[in-house]
Amino acid sequence: MNTVITGLQWGDEGKGKIVDYLTESADVVIRGQGGNNAGHTVIANGTKYVLHLLPSGILWDDKINVIGNGVVVDPIGLCIEIDRIEAQGVKISPEKLLISDRAHVVLPFHKELDAAREIALGDQKIGTTKRGIGPTYADKVNRCGLRMADLLDRPFAEALITRRTSEVNEILSKYDLPTFTAAAVIADTYIAFERLRPYITNTIPVLHKAWKAKKNLLFEGAQGTLLDIDFGTYPFVTSSNTTAGGSTTGTGLPPTAIESVIGVCKAYTTRVGSGPFPTCDEGLSEYLHNLGREFGATTGRPRGCGWLDSVLLRFACMVNGVTGLAVTNVDGLDEYDHLKICVAYDIDGIRHELPPADRNFWNRAKPIYETLPGWKQDTTKCLSYSELPKDAQAYLARLSELCDAPIAFVGVGPDRKQTLRL
Ligand code: GDP
Ligand code: IMO
Ligand code: MG
C-alpha cells in the first residue's frame, strides 16, 4: 500500500514517529518537500533521534530512503546530520540513501537572506527556522537556483554562485548582516558536495522501478497543512506544498501511485513561529511546557499550545484526501478534567466551518467550543484502542466525526511501541 503521511496542523504532529512505525512494512521512504526546517523525532529502543533532512525510515536497515526533487537540500547541514545520526549507531550508505539530482541546493547565503527578510518584516516577521528555506524556493521559482546536478558542472556552478553572491551581498549589507565571498561559498559547498556525491542520482527511475515492482512506498510529509504555501495561514506559512500533492510533484511519482493518505494530528493543537492560532490557550501551553513537552525539535523554541481545532482539521482532511487519521499525544491530555474542541468559528456573528482565504478573517475568528469530559487516567500503557478509557474513545470518535475521516492510529507516548493501530 503506497501511503502518504501528511501533517494536518502547523507541523510537529508526530509525523516522524508514524513514518518510523510504518517503515517496518515499507520498502522505500521518500521525502518530497521542505528541507532541514523539519524536525522529526523518533524514539526507538530507548534512543531519541531527531531527523531534519534524512527520511525517518533511515533508522531501519534494508530500507531505501529517498530525498526527492522537491526537497531543498543544505549539503553542509546534511553532512552534519549524517555524522550525528551515524554517531548514534545508524549505518548510512549510498544503497540506503538516495538524493535527487534535481533537488535544489540551500547555499550558505540563503540562511542570511532568510534572516534579512525577517528583519525587513519587523513585527510582521514569519518566525522562520532561519534555515534558508524560503530564499532557496524563491530562487527555484525565480529560475536562478542551483540544483544538485549543476554542482557536477563545476564551471557552471561557480559562475552561478559568484553572480548570486554579489546580488545577495547587496541585500545583506543593507541589514548589516555578514556578507560572503564567492570563493568561500564555493569551497564550503564543494567540501560537502564531494561527501554527498555517492548518494546523488536520478531518483525518478529508481522510484518508478520500485512502484512497478509493487514495493511499498511511504511518502514522509514535512511541516503541516496550515503551513502549506497554498492552503495555509498565508503569509505565515513555509514555502512548499506540504499537503499530499507535494508528494507527487516532489518525487516524480504520479498521483495514481498513491493509495492512501494518513493525516497526522495531535489530540490538541500546537504552533511554533508567528501567525494566527484561534484556539491557543495559555493554560494548556503552560501545563504542557511544565511537563517538558512542546519545545521545537529544530530550534528549541516553545510551541504555543491550544485546543483541538476541527475547523482546520476538516479543511486539512479535504485538501489532503485523508483516508485515515493518526492522532498522537493523546496522553498529553490524560490529566485534564474537561477538554474543549473547536467545532466552528464565529466571525461577526456568522458561523464558519471552514477557514476562508481572507487574512483579516483570522483576527476576528472566535472559536465555538464543545466541551467533552476528560478521562483522568494514564493512557501511556494502553496496548490497544479498546484499552483506552471510554471518555478517550469518545473524544477520538467525536474528532473523527467532525473531520469525516476514520481513526487509523493513536499515539499514547513518544516511543515507537506507544502506537496503537486500529
Ligand atoms: P513531526 O515534526 O511531525 O515529526 O513531530 P516532532 O517530532 O517535531 O514533534 C512531535 C513531538 O511529540 C516529539 O517530541 C515526539 O517525540 C512526540 N510524540 C509523538 N507522538 C507522541 C505521542 O503519542 N505521545 C507523546 N507523549 N509524545 C509523542
Ligand atoms: P516539521 O516537519 C513546525 C514553521 C516556522 C515558521 C514557518 C516558516 O517538523 O513539522 P520556514 O523556516 O519553513 O520558512 O518557516 O513554518 N515551520 C515549522 N513548524 N514544524 C515544522 O516542520 C516546521 N517547518 C517550518 O516555525 O512559522
Ligand atoms: Mg517537527
Side-chain angles (χ1 to χ4, degrees):
M1 180 79 101
N2 300 335
T3 303
V4 171
I5 305 300
T6 186
L8 299 182
Q9 295 161 320
W10 278 291
D12 302 330
E13 297 90 347
K15 298 174 294 292
K17 182 185 130 158
I18 298 295
V19 170
D20 166 69
Y21 176 86
L22 288 175
T23 300
E24 188 167 17
S25 53
D27 301 294
V28 189
V29 183
I30 318 148
R31 275 276 303 269
Q33 46 70 227
N36 57 2
N37 49 348
H40 296 175
T41 315
V42 178
I43 299 180
N45 308 320
T47 305
K48 175 174 165 176
Y49 306 89
V50 180
L51 302 157
H52 300 291
L53 269 163
L54 293 169
S56 300
I58 203 79
L59 305 179
W60 294 81
D61 289 331
D62 307 322
K63 308 286 178 181
I64 296 174
N65 291 269
V66 178
I67 297 178
N69 56 276
V71 178
V72 288
V73 180
D74 171 356
I76 300 168
L78 181 54
C79 287
I80 294 170
E81 184 174 343
I82 290 174
D83 286 343
R84 185 171 46 79
I85 294 297
E86 281 192 326
Q88 289 191 283
V90 177
K91 286 204 181 63
I92 300 177
S93 66
E95 287 72 46
K96 206 174 151 185
L97 176 68
L98 278 60
I99 304 169
S100 169
D101 51 6
R102 286 177 167 83
H104 276 253
V105 181
V106 180
L107 293 163
F109 55 64
H110 285 125
K111 287 183 235 170
E112 292 302 329
L113 267 182
D114 199 342
R117 285 283 306 149
E118 290 286 82
I119 294 169
L121 285 166
D123 62 5
Q124 289 301 302
K125 71 174 190 207
I126 311 294
T128 72
T129 58
K130 298 217 176 76
R131 298 298 189 270
I133 305 302
T136 307
Y137 277 118
D139 280 5
K140 171 177 172 172
V141 175
N142 214 9
R143 293 160 294 186
C144 60
L146 186 79
R147 306 206 288 182
M148 283 293 175
D150 298 326
L151 286 166
L152 296 167
D153 180 352
R154 189 149 179 164
F156 172 86
E158 287 194 1
L160 190 150
I161 292 173
T162 304
R163 195 173 60 245
R164 280 301 284 145
T165 305
S166 74
E167 288 166 359
V168 166
N169 279 345
E170 265 184 51
I171 301 170
L172 298 181
S173 49
K174 277 194 208 149
Y175 296 97
D176 287 331
L177 288 166
T179 53
F180 290 83
T181 64
V185 174
I186 291 165
D188 292 348
T189 303
Y190 268 95
I191 291 171
F193 174 69
E194 290 306 338
R195 245 198 95 188
L196 297 177
R197 195 189 274 257
Y199 302 97
I200 297 167
T201 187
N202 184 357
T203 50
I204 296 169
V206 179
L207 291 173
H208 275 254
K209 197 171 158 201
W211 178 36
K212 293 294 168 205
K214 304 222 176 320
K215 302 283 186 198
N216 283 320
L217 311 176
L218 194 55
F219 298 85
E220 175 174 8
Q223 292 81 51
T225 304
L226 276 306
L227 289 173
D228 183 286
I229 187 78
D230 283 286
F231 303 115
T233 44
Y234 192 87
F236 299 100
V237 294
T238 191
S239 301
S240 64
N241 280 118
T242 63
T243 38
S247 305
T248 73
T249 52
T251 64
L253 282 160
T256 44
I258 296 174
E259 295 164 301
S260 69
V261 179
I262 299 296
V264 189
C265 64
K266 283 181 177 144
Y268 45 93
T269 311
T270 64
R271 169 161 214 173
V272 64
S274 335
F277 185 175
T279 64
C280 190
D281 186 271
E282 262 181 42
L284 188 57
S285 300
E286 201 183 314
Y287 170 78
L288 291 165
H289 293 153
N290 283 341
L291 292 178
R293 298 167 70 132
E294 303 308 344
F295 292 92
T298 298
T299 58
R301 292 177 290 179
R303 299 173 183 142
C305 305
W307 301 110
L308 196 71
D309 186 338
S310 73
V311 178
L312 303 182
L313 291 178
R314 188 178 295 123
F315 179 63
C317 286
M318 283 166 62
V319 297
N320 285 290
V322 165
T323 54
L325 291 165
V327 187
T328 68
N329 286 273
V330 168
D331 54 300
L333 300 176
D334 279 356
E335 290 171 16
Y336 255 77
D337 280 327
H338 291 97
L339 306 171
K340 294 204 269 188
I341 299 184
C342 168
V343 291
Y345 297 146
D346 176 323
I347 303 165
D348 307 332
I350 298 168
R351 185 183 169 97
H352 289 254
E353 295 196 347
L354 288 171
D358 178 359
R359 67 180 78 183
N360 298 314
F361 146 91
W362 294 104
N363 304 328
R364 307 201 309 275
K366 292 193 202 83
I368 301 171
Y369 285 116
E370 229 175 65
T371 302
L372 275 73
W375 42 93
K376 306 274 284 172
Q377 277 179 60
D378 179 9
T379 56
T380 58
K381 300 195 179 54
C382 293
L383 298 173
S384 66
Y385 187 81
S386 58
E387 280 182 32
L388 286 172
K390 288 285 165 274
D391 285 327
Q393 292 187 21
Y395 183 82
L396 292 166
R398 183 65 182 134
L399 160 57
S400 164
E401 184 179 50
L402 287 164
C403 301
D404 194 23
I407 309 275
F409 301 92
V410 175
V412 291
D415 197 273
R416 184 185 273 173
K417 293 197 193 108
Q418 290 170 300
T419 309
L420 316 179
R421 192 173 199 152
L422 273 77

